[in-house]
Amino acid sequence: MSIPAASAKATSQHALPSYLNPEHHGPWGIYLQQVDRVTPYLGSLSRWVETLKRPKRALIVDVPIELDNGTMAHFEGYRVQHNTSRGPGKGGVRFHQGVTLSEVMALSAWMSVKNAAVNLPFGGAKGGIRVDPKTLSRGELERLTRRYTSEIGIIIGPTKDIPAPDVNTNEQIMAWMMDTYSMNEGATASGVVTGKPIALGGSLGRREATGRGVYTVGQEAAQHIGLDITKAKIAVQGFGNVGGIAAKLLAQAGATVVAVQDHGGTVYNASGLDVPNLLKHVDEHGSVQGFENAEVLPDEQFWGVDCDILIPAALEQQITAENAHQIRARMVIEGANGPTTPEADDILHERGILVVPDVIANAGGVTVSYFEWVQDFSSFFWSEDDINARLVRIMREAFAAIWQVADENQVSLRTATFIVACTRILQARELRGLYP
Ligand code: GLU
C-alpha cells in the first residue's frame, strides 16, 4: 500500500523520537539548545545541521553479573556513537548511578564537538553503565566491566570507536576492557581503549592531561581578561582526576585554592587550602570530608564563595538559573562536561563573567588519548616532556583560534567553539556525501 506524501510527512513528524524534542530536559536538551545557537553561523553547511541533532548509533546492553553472594544482578549499559564523519568514535565510559541513555547521548555529542574543536581526527562517542561502583567488590567490578566490554564489542575497536576513562572509571578498568576485547579478537589490541596503565601501552602524561589542559586554557583566558593566575583565588567543585590535578597545578603556580566541594561536602580556607595534603586526604578517605585546617561550609554556599576562578569539575547541570547570580568569580573554567545550563550561561554572560566551555577547557584528556592511540599504532613511545609540550601547543592554538572567532562574531566562547567544531564536522559530512 502506498502512503500519500502528505500523510507520510505527518506520520514521520508524529513519530519524532523523544530525544528530538527541543523541550527535552537534561543534558541532551541542553546540547540541542547549544546547536540551535550555533546554526545561524554555519552558512550553507546549516543544511546538514540535523546530522548533529541525532546520534549516528546508540546501543543499549544488558549487563548481567553474578554478585559475590551468589545472586544475579542486571545493569543497563550504553555506547553511543554520535558522529564519525571525521574519524572513529572516541570518548569515555562512565560508571554512575545517574547514567541514562539521554545523558550518554549528550556526552557523546560533546565529544564530537570537543574532538573537532582541537582538530583531533576523531568523531564523538560515549558509554556508561547505570551503577554505583562503590557498592561493588573488586571482583564484581571486574565482571561488570568485562561483560559490558564484550556486549559493546560489536561496535568498538581501534579503528571504529575507542573508549577511555570518565567519571568513576580508571586505568585498571581500561586494562580489563583491553584484555576482554583482545581475548574476543584473539590478538592483543592495545589501541582499543586509551587511558591504560603505562605497562599496557598507556601514555605518559595521560592521567594528568585533563587537569593540565584546564590549567593551560585557564592561563590563556586569564591573560585575555588581565587576571594574574599566580595571585588568583580558586574554587573547585569535584576533586578527582580533573579538579584535583587542575587545583594542584594552579597551587604550584602560586594561586590560592580557597574552596573545594565534592560528594562529601565543602571545605573552605580564605588563606588557602593545602592542596597536596587535601589530595592525600581524599586518596585515603574518599572525599574532602574531615579535612583539617579548613572550615566546613554548607554545600549551597559554595557558589557564592569569594574567588576569581570557579572550576566546576564534577557532573552536568551544576551552574543553573538558581545559583548563577551568586557566583562572584571573574571566570568559570568548565572541567566537567555540561556543568552550565543555557539559562545560567546567559546570566553569567550578562554579568560579565567569562565562561571557558567544557568542549575546549577539558579537551586535554582526549588530546593525550589521541597521542596514546598514535603511540599504540606505531609501537613507539614518546617522552613525558614531549607529550606535555605537544598538549600545551594544541590547547593554546585551539584556544587562540576560538577566541578570535568569538571576537569577530561577538559571541560567547561556547558558541565560538561550536562554530569552529560544527563547521569542521559538517564540512567532513558534506565532502563524504550521503550513502547510498
Ligand atoms: N572522558 C574524557 C572526556 O570527557 C576523555 C575521553 C577520551 O580520552 O577519549 O573528555
Side-chain angles (χ1 to χ4, degrees), residues 79 89-94 107 110-111 114-115 122 125-126 162-167 169 194-195 206 210 242 335-337 358 362-370:
R79 185 71 188 173
K90 182 87 192 83
V93 170
R94 168 176 300 200
L107 292 165
W110 285 322
M111 287 310 303
K114 189 187 305 187
N115 292 334
F122 290 134
K126 200 88 175 198
I162 306 107
D166 196 74
V167 173
T169 55
T194 58
R206 173 63 186 87
T210 314
V242 182
N337 290 310
D358 48 6
N362 70 31
V366 71
T367 300
V368 176
S369 275
Y370 165 59

PDB file of all heavy atoms in Angstrom, residues 79 89-94 107 110-111 114-115 122 125-126 162-167 169 194-195 206 210 242 335-337 358 362-370, ligand 1:
ATOM      1  N   ARG A  79      26.464   2.405  24.751  1.00  0.00           N
ATOM      2  CA  ARG A  79      27.553   3.008  23.988  1.00  0.00           C
ATOM      3  C   ARG A  79      26.896   3.754  22.843  1.00  0.00           C
ATOM      4  O   ARG A  79      26.145   3.159  22.057  1.00  0.00           O
ATOM      5  CB  ARG A  79      28.532   1.947  23.457  1.00  0.00           C
ATOM      6  CG  ARG A  79      29.754   2.546  22.747  1.00  0.00           C
ATOM      7  CD  ARG A  79      30.725   3.217  23.711  1.00  0.00           C
ATOM      8  NE  ARG A  79      31.794   3.946  23.028  1.00  0.00           N
ATOM      9  CZ  ARG A  79      32.685   4.718  23.645  1.00  0.00           C
ATOM     10  NH1 ARG A  79      32.662   4.863  24.965  1.00  0.00           N
ATOM     11  NH2 ARG A  79      33.611   5.363  22.972  1.00  0.00           N
ATOM     12  N   GLY A  89      34.768   6.840  16.415  1.00  0.00           N
ATOM     13  CA  GLY A  89      34.184   7.378  17.640  1.00  0.00           C
ATOM     14  C   GLY A  89      35.236   7.413  18.732  1.00  0.00           C
ATOM     15  O   GLY A  89      36.141   6.595  18.757  1.00  0.00           O
ATOM     16  N   LYS A  90      35.139   8.401  19.622  1.00  0.00           N
ATOM     17  CA  LYS A  90      36.109   8.499  20.729  1.00  0.00           C
ATOM     18  C   LYS A  90      35.443   9.168  21.904  1.00  0.00           C
ATOM     19  O   LYS A  90      34.811  10.216  21.767  1.00  0.00           O
ATOM     20  CB  LYS A  90      37.326   9.344  20.284  1.00  0.00           C
ATOM     21  CG  LYS A  90      38.405   9.453  21.355  1.00  0.00           C
ATOM     22  CD  LYS A  90      39.367   8.302  21.286  1.00  0.00           C
ATOM     23  CE  LYS A  90      40.276   8.189  22.494  1.00  0.00           C
ATOM     24  NZ  LYS A  90      39.640   7.470  23.643  1.00  0.00           N
ATOM     25  N   GLY A  91      35.600   8.566  23.072  1.00  0.00           N
ATOM     26  CA  GLY A  91      35.067   9.179  24.287  1.00  0.00           C
ATOM     27  C   GLY A  91      35.007   8.149  25.404  1.00  0.00           C
ATOM     28  O   GLY A  91      35.097   6.947  25.164  1.00  0.00           O
ATOM     29  N   GLY A  92      34.847   8.645  26.610  1.00  0.00           N
ATOM     30  CA  GLY A  92      34.995   7.810  27.799  1.00  0.00           C
ATOM     31  C   GLY A  92      33.815   6.905  28.106  1.00  0.00           C
ATOM     32  O   GLY A  92      32.810   6.856  27.392  1.00  0.00           O
ATOM     33  N   VAL A  93      33.980   6.179  29.204  1.00  0.00           N
ATOM     34  CA  VAL A  93      32.942   5.305  29.750  1.00  0.00           C
ATOM     35  C   VAL A  93      32.744   5.710  31.208  1.00  0.00           C
ATOM     36  O   VAL A  93      33.715   5.816  31.955  1.00  0.00           O
ATOM     37  CB  VAL A  93      33.371   3.825  29.677  1.00  0.00           C
ATOM     38  CG1 VAL A  93      32.405   2.967  30.472  1.00  0.00           C
ATOM     39  CG2 VAL A  93      33.452   3.345  28.243  1.00  0.00           C
ATOM     40  N   ARG A  94      31.477   5.925  31.581  1.00  0.00           N
ATOM     41  CA  ARG A  94      31.153   6.408  32.919  1.00  0.00           C
ATOM     42  C   ARG A  94      30.389   5.346  33.691  1.00  0.00           C
ATOM     43  O   ARG A  94      29.458   4.749  33.147  1.00  0.00           O
ATOM     44  CB  ARG A  94      30.317   7.683  32.730  1.00  0.00           C
ATOM     45  CG  ARG A  94      29.630   8.221  33.928  1.00  0.00           C
ATOM     46  CD  ARG A  94      28.937   9.537  33.601  1.00  0.00           C
ATOM     47  NE  ARG A  94      29.875  10.576  33.144  1.00  0.00           N
ATOM     48  CZ  ARG A  94      29.614  11.879  33.160  1.00  0.00           C
ATOM     49  NH1 ARG A  94      28.448  12.315  33.612  1.00  0.00           N
ATOM     50  NH2 ARG A  94      30.494  12.744  32.730  1.00  0.00           N
ATOM     51  N   LEU A 107      26.694  13.416  26.206  1.00  0.00           N
ATOM     52  CA  LEU A 107      28.144  13.333  26.424  1.00  0.00           C
ATOM     53  C   LEU A 107      28.854  12.920  25.127  1.00  0.00           C
ATOM     54  O   LEU A 107      29.952  13.406  24.836  1.00  0.00           O
ATOM     55  CB  LEU A 107      28.450  12.347  27.560  1.00  0.00           C
ATOM     56  CG  LEU A 107      27.991  12.819  28.958  1.00  0.00           C
ATOM     57  CD1 LEU A 107      27.992  11.639  29.943  1.00  0.00           C
ATOM     58  CD2 LEU A 107      28.888  13.939  29.485  1.00  0.00           C
ATOM     59  N   TRP A 110      28.966  16.007  22.880  1.00  0.00           N
ATOM     60  CA  TRP A 110      30.008  16.948  23.319  1.00  0.00           C
ATOM     61  C   TRP A 110      31.389  16.428  22.944  1.00  0.00           C
ATOM     62  O   TRP A 110      32.301  17.213  22.684  1.00  0.00           O
ATOM     63  CB  TRP A 110      29.890  17.215  24.835  1.00  0.00           C
ATOM     64  CG  TRP A 110      28.743  18.130  25.168  1.00  0.00           C
ATOM     65  CD1 TRP A 110      28.322  19.215  24.447  1.00  0.00           C
ATOM     66  CD2 TRP A 110      27.862  18.048  26.308  1.00  0.00           C
ATOM     67  NE1 TRP A 110      27.237  19.807  25.069  1.00  0.00           N
ATOM     68  CE2 TRP A 110      26.943  19.122  26.210  1.00  0.00           C
ATOM     69  CE3 TRP A 110      27.770  17.199  27.412  1.00  0.00           C
ATOM     70  CZ2 TRP A 110      25.939  19.354  27.157  1.00  0.00           C
ATOM     71  CZ3 TRP A 110      26.777  17.420  28.356  1.00  0.00           C
ATOM     72  CH2 TRP A 110      25.869  18.485  28.229  1.00  0.00           C
ATOM     73  N   MET A 111      31.564  15.104  22.884  1.00  0.00           N
ATOM     74  CA  MET A 111      32.856  14.566  22.420  1.00  0.00           C
ATOM     75  C   MET A 111      33.078  14.899  20.940  1.00  0.00           C
ATOM     76  O   MET A 111      34.194  15.235  20.546  1.00  0.00           O
ATOM     77  CB  MET A 111      32.937  13.045  22.625  1.00  0.00           C
ATOM     78  CG  MET A 111      33.118  12.556  24.044  1.00  0.00           C
ATOM     79  SD  MET A 111      34.438  13.301  25.048  1.00  0.00           S
ATOM     80  CE  MET A 111      35.891  12.994  24.079  1.00  0.00           C
ATOM     81  N   LYS A 114      34.095  18.524  20.947  1.00  0.00           N
ATOM     82  CA  LYS A 114      35.417  18.686  21.576  1.00  0.00           C
ATOM     83  C   LYS A 114      36.541  18.209  20.649  1.00  0.00           C
ATOM     84  O   LYS A 114      37.532  18.900  20.440  1.00  0.00           O
ATOM     85  CB  LYS A 114      35.408  17.858  22.863  1.00  0.00           C
ATOM     86  CG  LYS A 114      36.577  18.039  23.784  1.00  0.00           C
ATOM     87  CD  LYS A 114      36.516  17.019  24.930  1.00  0.00           C
ATOM     88  CE  LYS A 114      35.198  17.058  25.702  1.00  0.00           C
ATOM     89  NZ  LYS A 114      35.230  16.176  26.896  1.00  0.00           N
ATOM     90  N   ASN A 115      36.362  17.015  20.093  1.00  0.00           N
ATOM     91  CA  ASN A 115      37.415  16.448  19.231  1.00  0.00           C
ATOM     92  C   ASN A 115      37.628  17.310  17.990  1.00  0.00           C
ATOM     93  O   ASN A 115      38.762  17.478  17.537  1.00  0.00           O
ATOM     94  CB  ASN A 115      37.058  15.010  18.849  1.00  0.00           C
ATOM     95  CG  ASN A 115      37.113  14.078  20.049  1.00  0.00           C
ATOM     96  OD1 ASN A 115      37.829  14.338  21.005  1.00  0.00           O
ATOM     97  ND2 ASN A 115      36.359  12.995  20.012  1.00  0.00           N
ATOM     98  N   PHE A 122      39.004  12.404  15.128  1.00  0.00           N
ATOM     99  CA  PHE A 122      38.024  11.522  15.753  1.00  0.00           C
ATOM    100  C   PHE A 122      36.619  12.088  15.612  1.00  0.00           C
ATOM    101  O   PHE A 122      36.445  13.310  15.552  1.00  0.00           O
ATOM    102  CB  PHE A 122      38.284  11.405  17.270  1.00  0.00           C
ATOM    103  CG  PHE A 122      39.524  10.647  17.658  1.00  0.00           C
ATOM    104  CD1 PHE A 122      40.382  11.169  18.632  1.00  0.00           C
ATOM    105  CD2 PHE A 122      39.825   9.408  17.103  1.00  0.00           C
ATOM    106  CE1 PHE A 122      41.516  10.476  19.035  1.00  0.00           C
ATOM    107  CE2 PHE A 122      40.960   8.708  17.499  1.00  0.00           C
ATOM    108  CZ  PHE A 122      41.818   9.237  18.467  1.00  0.00           C
ATOM    109  N   ALA A 125      31.940   9.792  20.766  1.00  0.00           N
ATOM    110  CA  ALA A 125      31.202   8.657  21.317  1.00  0.00           C
ATOM    111  C   ALA A 125      31.277   8.723  22.838  1.00  0.00           C
ATOM    112  O   ALA A 125      32.077   9.478  23.394  1.00  0.00           O
ATOM    113  CB  ALA A 125      31.790   7.347  20.811  1.00  0.00           C
ATOM    114  N   LYS A 126      30.433   7.965  23.475  1.00  0.00           N
ATOM    115  CA  LYS A 126      30.494   7.872  24.938  1.00  0.00           C
ATOM    116  C   LYS A 126      29.775   6.612  25.368  1.00  0.00           C
ATOM    117  O   LYS A 126      28.894   6.124  24.664  1.00  0.00           O
ATOM    118  CB  LYS A 126      29.799   9.083  25.575  1.00  0.00           C
ATOM    119  CG  LYS A 126      30.202   9.340  27.015  1.00  0.00           C
ATOM    120  CD  LYS A 126      31.429  10.223  27.072  1.00  0.00           C
ATOM    121  CE  LYS A 126      31.817  10.629  28.462  1.00  0.00           C
ATOM    122  NZ  LYS A 126      32.721  11.785  28.421  1.00  0.00           N
ATOM    123  N   ILE A 162      36.848   4.149  20.223  1.00  0.00           N
ATOM    124  CA  ILE A 162      37.889   3.907  21.221  1.00  0.00           C
ATOM    125  C   ILE A 162      37.483   4.493  22.578  1.00  0.00           C
ATOM    126  O   ILE A 162      37.573   5.705  22.800  1.00  0.00           O
ATOM    127  CB  ILE A 162      39.242   4.535  20.755  1.00  0.00           C
ATOM    128  CG1 ILE A 162      39.617   4.027  19.360  1.00  0.00           C
ATOM    129  CG2 ILE A 162      40.371   4.217  21.732  1.00  0.00           C
ATOM    130  CD1 ILE A 162      39.454   5.052  18.263  1.00  0.00           C
ATOM    131  N   PRO A 163      37.014   3.667  23.518  1.00  0.00           N
ATOM    132  CA  PRO A 163      36.651   4.165  24.846  1.00  0.00           C
ATOM    133  C   PRO A 163      37.862   4.631  25.667  1.00  0.00           C
ATOM    134  O   PRO A 163      39.017   4.416  25.285  1.00  0.00           O
ATOM    135  CB  PRO A 163      35.969   2.962  25.516  1.00  0.00           C
ATOM    136  CG  PRO A 163      35.547   2.061  24.390  1.00  0.00           C
ATOM    137  CD  PRO A 163      36.609   2.262  23.342  1.00  0.00           C
ATOM    138  N   ALA A 164      37.570   5.261  26.805  1.00  0.00           N
ATOM    139  CA  ALA A 164      38.603   5.822  27.686  1.00  0.00           C
ATOM    140  C   ALA A 164      37.968   6.032  29.063  1.00  0.00           C
ATOM    141  O   ALA A 164      36.759   5.841  29.216  1.00  0.00           O
ATOM    142  CB  ALA A 164      39.087   7.163  27.119  1.00  0.00           C
ATOM    143  N   PRO A 165      38.740   6.458  30.062  1.00  0.00           N
ATOM    144  CA  PRO A 165      38.140   6.713  31.380  1.00  0.00           C
ATOM    145  C   PRO A 165      37.247   7.953  31.383  1.00  0.00           C
ATOM    146  O   PRO A 165      37.410   8.869  30.583  1.00  0.00           O
ATOM    147  CB  PRO A 165      39.354   6.935  32.293  1.00  0.00           C
ATOM    148  CG  PRO A 165      40.537   6.437  31.534  1.00  0.00           C
ATOM    149  CD  PRO A 165      40.207   6.619  30.093  1.00  0.00           C
ATOM    150  N   ASP A 166      36.292   7.940  32.291  1.00  0.00           N
ATOM    151  CA  ASP A 166      35.457   9.106  32.580  1.00  0.00           C
ATOM    152  C   ASP A 166      35.106   8.989  34.075  1.00  0.00           C
ATOM    153  O   ASP A 166      35.867   8.380  34.832  1.00  0.00           O
ATOM    154  CB  ASP A 166      34.218   9.123  31.671  1.00  0.00           C
ATOM    155  CG  ASP A 166      33.523  10.480  31.651  1.00  0.00           C
ATOM    156  OD1 ASP A 166      34.042  11.412  31.023  1.00  0.00           O
ATOM    157  OD2 ASP A 166      32.466  10.629  32.287  1.00  0.00           O
ATOM    158  N   VAL A 167      33.967   9.527  34.488  1.00  0.00           N
ATOM    159  CA  VAL A 167      33.607   9.516  35.909  1.00  0.00           C
ATOM    160  C   VAL A 167      33.601   8.073  36.456  1.00  0.00           C
ATOM    161  O   VAL A 167      32.947   7.194  35.889  1.00  0.00           O
ATOM    162  CB  VAL A 167      32.211  10.175  36.110  1.00  0.00           C
ATOM    163  CG1 VAL A 167      31.738  10.021  37.544  1.00  0.00           C
ATOM    164  CG2 VAL A 167      32.259  11.636  35.692  1.00  0.00           C
ATOM    165  N   THR A 169      35.739   5.681  36.349  1.00  0.00           N
ATOM    166  CA  THR A 169      36.483   4.616  35.667  1.00  0.00           C
ATOM    167  C   THR A 169      37.958   5.034  35.604  1.00  0.00           C
ATOM    168  O   THR A 169      38.264   6.225  35.624  1.00  0.00           O
ATOM    169  CB  THR A 169      35.956   4.336  34.245  1.00  0.00           C
ATOM    170  OG1 THR A 169      35.967   5.552  33.503  1.00  0.00           O
ATOM    171  CG2 THR A 169      34.550   3.751  34.270  1.00  0.00           C
ATOM    172  N   THR A 194      41.978   3.948  25.455  1.00  0.00           N
ATOM    173  CA  THR A 194      43.084   4.791  25.927  1.00  0.00           C
ATOM    174  C   THR A 194      42.891   5.046  27.418  1.00  0.00           C
ATOM    175  O   THR A 194      41.849   4.725  27.981  1.00  0.00           O
ATOM    176  CB  THR A 194      43.173   6.112  25.154  1.00  0.00           C
ATOM    177  OG1 THR A 194      41.910   6.800  25.306  1.00  0.00           O
ATOM    178  CG2 THR A 194      43.454   5.890  23.676  1.00  0.00           C
ATOM    179  N   GLY A 195      43.937   5.616  28.032  1.00  0.00           N
ATOM    180  CA  GLY A 195      43.890   5.788  29.480  1.00  0.00           C
ATOM    181  C   GLY A 195      44.276   4.492  30.186  1.00  0.00           C
ATOM    182  O   GLY A 195      43.868   4.236  31.320  1.00  0.00           O
ATOM    183  N   ARG A 206      49.005  10.920  30.501  1.00  0.00           N
ATOM    184  CA  ARG A 206      47.563  10.823  30.244  1.00  0.00           C
ATOM    185  C   ARG A 206      46.754  11.110  31.504  1.00  0.00           C
ATOM    186  O   ARG A 206      45.725  11.761  31.469  1.00  0.00           O
ATOM    187  CB  ARG A 206      47.199   9.442  29.664  1.00  0.00           C
ATOM    188  CG  ARG A 206      45.688   9.189  29.514  1.00  0.00           C
ATOM    189  CD  ARG A 206      45.047  10.168  28.531  1.00  0.00           C
ATOM    190  NE  ARG A 206      43.595  10.051  28.456  1.00  0.00           N
ATOM    191  CZ  ARG A 206      42.740  10.675  29.258  1.00  0.00           C
ATOM    192  NH1 ARG A 206      43.179  11.464  30.238  1.00  0.00           N
ATOM    193  NH2 ARG A 206      41.444  10.514  29.081  1.00  0.00           N
ATOM    194  N   THR A 210      43.867  15.938  31.505  1.00  0.00           N
ATOM    195  CA  THR A 210      42.666  16.785  31.518  1.00  0.00           C
ATOM    196  C   THR A 210      42.899  17.992  32.432  1.00  0.00           C
ATOM    197  O   THR A 210      42.613  19.135  32.071  1.00  0.00           O
ATOM    198  CB  THR A 210      41.422  15.990  31.944  1.00  0.00           C
ATOM    199  OG1 THR A 210      41.402  14.753  31.241  1.00  0.00           O
ATOM    200  CG2 THR A 210      40.145  16.755  31.650  1.00  0.00           C
ATOM    201  N   VAL A 242      40.197  15.427  37.372  1.00  0.00           N
ATOM    202  CA  VAL A 242      40.205  16.719  36.680  1.00  0.00           C
ATOM    203  C   VAL A 242      40.434  17.858  37.686  1.00  0.00           C
ATOM    204  O   VAL A 242      41.437  18.574  37.620  1.00  0.00           O
ATOM    205  CB  VAL A 242      38.894  16.934  35.888  1.00  0.00           C
ATOM    206  CG1 VAL A 242      38.939  18.251  35.134  1.00  0.00           C
ATOM    207  CG2 VAL A 242      38.631  15.771  34.936  1.00  0.00           C
ATOM    208  N   GLY A 335      35.713  22.231  33.824  1.00  0.00           N
ATOM    209  CA  GLY A 335      36.452  20.962  33.811  1.00  0.00           C
ATOM    210  C   GLY A 335      35.521  19.800  33.546  1.00  0.00           C
ATOM    211  O   GLY A 335      35.871  18.821  32.895  1.00  0.00           O
ATOM    212  N   ALA A 336      34.291  19.885  34.050  1.00  0.00           N
ATOM    213  CA  ALA A 336      33.270  18.857  33.831  1.00  0.00           C
ATOM    214  C   ALA A 336      32.691  19.007  32.435  1.00  0.00           C
ATOM    215  O   ALA A 336      32.883  20.028  31.772  1.00  0.00           O
ATOM    216  CB  ALA A 336      32.159  19.003  34.858  1.00  0.00           C
ATOM    217  N   ASN A 337      31.944  18.002  32.010  1.00  0.00           N
ATOM    218  CA  ASN A 337      31.169  18.116  30.778  1.00  0.00           C
ATOM    219  C   ASN A 337      29.773  18.611  31.127  1.00  0.00           C
ATOM    220  O   ASN A 337      29.111  18.050  32.007  1.00  0.00           O
ATOM    221  CB  ASN A 337      31.075  16.747  30.100  1.00  0.00           C
ATOM    222  CG  ASN A 337      32.412  16.289  29.534  1.00  0.00           C
ATOM    223  OD1 ASN A 337      33.074  17.036  28.813  1.00  0.00           O
ATOM    224  ND2 ASN A 337      32.826  15.082  29.872  1.00  0.00           N
ATOM    225  N   ASP A 358      33.451  23.635  28.481  1.00  0.00           N
ATOM    226  CA  ASP A 358      33.945  22.252  28.526  1.00  0.00           C
ATOM    227  C   ASP A 358      34.605  21.783  27.235  1.00  0.00           C
ATOM    228  O   ASP A 358      35.661  21.170  27.261  1.00  0.00           O
ATOM    229  CB  ASP A 358      32.773  21.312  28.873  1.00  0.00           C
ATOM    230  CG  ASP A 358      31.504  21.562  28.044  1.00  0.00           C
ATOM    231  OD1 ASP A 358      31.523  22.384  27.121  1.00  0.00           O
ATOM    232  OD2 ASP A 358      30.475  20.908  28.332  1.00  0.00           O
ATOM    233  N   ASN A 362      38.200  21.116  28.784  1.00  0.00           N
ATOM    234  CA  ASN A 362      38.609  19.788  29.267  1.00  0.00           C
ATOM    235  C   ASN A 362      39.073  18.865  28.134  1.00  0.00           C
ATOM    236  O   ASN A 362      39.127  17.647  28.304  1.00  0.00           O
ATOM    237  CB  ASN A 362      37.517  19.149  30.137  1.00  0.00           C
ATOM    238  CG  ASN A 362      36.281  18.740  29.343  1.00  0.00           C
ATOM    239  OD1 ASN A 362      36.369  18.393  28.173  1.00  0.00           O
ATOM    240  ND2 ASN A 362      35.135  18.752  29.995  1.00  0.00           N
ATOM    241  N   ALA A 363      39.468  19.474  27.013  1.00  0.00           N
ATOM    242  CA  ALA A 363      39.893  18.671  25.855  1.00  0.00           C
ATOM    243  C   ALA A 363      41.300  18.081  26.017  1.00  0.00           C
ATOM    244  O   ALA A 363      41.751  17.296  25.170  1.00  0.00           O
ATOM    245  CB  ALA A 363      39.824  19.508  24.580  1.00  0.00           C
ATOM    246  N   GLY A 364      41.989  18.425  27.088  1.00  0.00           N
ATOM    247  CA  GLY A 364      43.357  17.914  27.284  1.00  0.00           C
ATOM    248  C   GLY A 364      43.397  16.397  27.428  1.00  0.00           C
ATOM    249  O   GLY A 364      44.337  15.737  26.961  1.00  0.00           O
ATOM    250  N   GLY A 365      42.380  15.827  28.075  1.00  0.00           N
ATOM    251  CA  GLY A 365      42.356  14.377  28.288  1.00  0.00           C
ATOM    252  C   GLY A 365      42.296  13.626  26.985  1.00  0.00           C
ATOM    253  O   GLY A 365      43.116  12.734  26.711  1.00  0.00           O
ATOM    254  N   VAL A 366      41.349  14.000  26.149  1.00  0.00           N
ATOM    255  CA  VAL A 366      41.209  13.267  24.888  1.00  0.00           C
ATOM    256  C   VAL A 366      42.372  13.582  23.936  1.00  0.00           C
ATOM    257  O   VAL A 366      42.732  12.755  23.099  1.00  0.00           O
ATOM    258  CB  VAL A 366      39.818  13.509  24.243  1.00  0.00           C
ATOM    259  CG1 VAL A 366      39.673  14.917  23.691  1.00  0.00           C
ATOM    260  CG2 VAL A 366      39.544  12.458  23.174  1.00  0.00           C
ATOM    261  N   THR A 367      42.999  14.735  24.111  1.00  0.00           N
ATOM    262  CA  THR A 367      44.165  15.049  23.271  1.00  0.00           C
ATOM    263  C   THR A 367      45.302  14.067  23.566  1.00  0.00           C
ATOM    264  O   THR A 367      45.919  13.510  22.643  1.00  0.00           O
ATOM    265  CB  THR A 367      44.609  16.514  23.498  1.00  0.00           C
ATOM    266  OG1 THR A 367      43.519  17.367  23.141  1.00  0.00           O
ATOM    267  CG2 THR A 367      45.826  16.876  22.684  1.00  0.00           C
ATOM    268  N   VAL A 368      45.549  13.823  24.860  1.00  0.00           N
ATOM    269  CA  VAL A 368      46.613  12.845  25.169  1.00  0.00           C
ATOM    270  C   VAL A 368      46.125  11.417  24.900  1.00  0.00           C
ATOM    271  O   VAL A 368      46.923  10.540  24.580  1.00  0.00           O
ATOM    272  CB  VAL A 368      47.186  13.062  26.587  1.00  0.00           C
ATOM    273  CG1 VAL A 368      48.217  11.995  26.924  1.00  0.00           C
ATOM    274  CG2 VAL A 368      47.834  14.441  26.672  1.00  0.00           C
ATOM    275  N   SER A 369      44.807  11.176  24.947  1.00  0.00           N
ATOM    276  CA  SER A 369      44.274   9.888  24.478  1.00  0.00           C
ATOM    277  C   SER A 369      44.641   9.685  23.003  1.00  0.00           C
ATOM    278  O   SER A 369      44.988   8.577  22.584  1.00  0.00           O
ATOM    279  CB  SER A 369      42.752   9.849  24.607  1.00  0.00           C
ATOM    280  OG  SER A 369      42.367   9.459  25.898  1.00  0.00           O
ATOM    281  N   TYR A 370      44.534  10.738  22.234  1.00  0.00           N
ATOM    282  CA  TYR A 370      44.922  10.671  20.816  1.00  0.00           C
ATOM    283  C   TYR A 370      46.407  10.308  20.690  1.00  0.00           C
ATOM    284  O   TYR A 370      46.781   9.426  19.922  1.00  0.00           O
ATOM    285  CB  TYR A 370      44.599  12.007  20.130  1.00  0.00           C
ATOM    286  CG  TYR A 370      45.245  12.205  18.784  1.00  0.00           C
ATOM    287  CD1 TYR A 370      45.011  11.318  17.742  1.00  0.00           C
ATOM    288  CD2 TYR A 370      46.110  13.279  18.565  1.00  0.00           C
ATOM    289  CE1 TYR A 370      45.618  11.499  16.509  1.00  0.00           C
ATOM    290  CE2 TYR A 370      46.716  13.471  17.337  1.00  0.00           C
ATOM    291  CZ  TYR A 370      46.473  12.575  16.311  1.00  0.00           C
ATOM    292  OH  TYR A 370      47.080  12.753  15.093  1.00  0.00           O
TER     293      TYR A 370
HETATM  294  N1  GLU B   1      36.261  11.230  29.369  1.00  0.00           N
HETATM  295  C1  GLU B   1      37.141  12.256  28.888  1.00  0.00           C
HETATM  296  C2  GLU B   1      36.334  13.391  28.287  1.00  0.00           C
HETATM  297  O1  GLU B   1      35.186  13.609  28.636  1.00  0.00           O
HETATM  298  C3  GLU B   1      38.229  11.715  27.956  1.00  0.00           C
HETATM  299  C4  GLU B   1      37.761  10.945  26.757  1.00  0.00           C
HETATM  300  C5  GLU B   1      38.881  10.263  25.986  1.00  0.00           C
HETATM  301  O2  GLU B   1      40.043  10.356  26.368  1.00  0.00           O
HETATM  302  O3  GLU B   1      38.546   9.625  24.988  1.00  0.00           O
HETATM  303  O4  GLU B   1      36.818  14.174  27.508  1.00  0.00           O
END
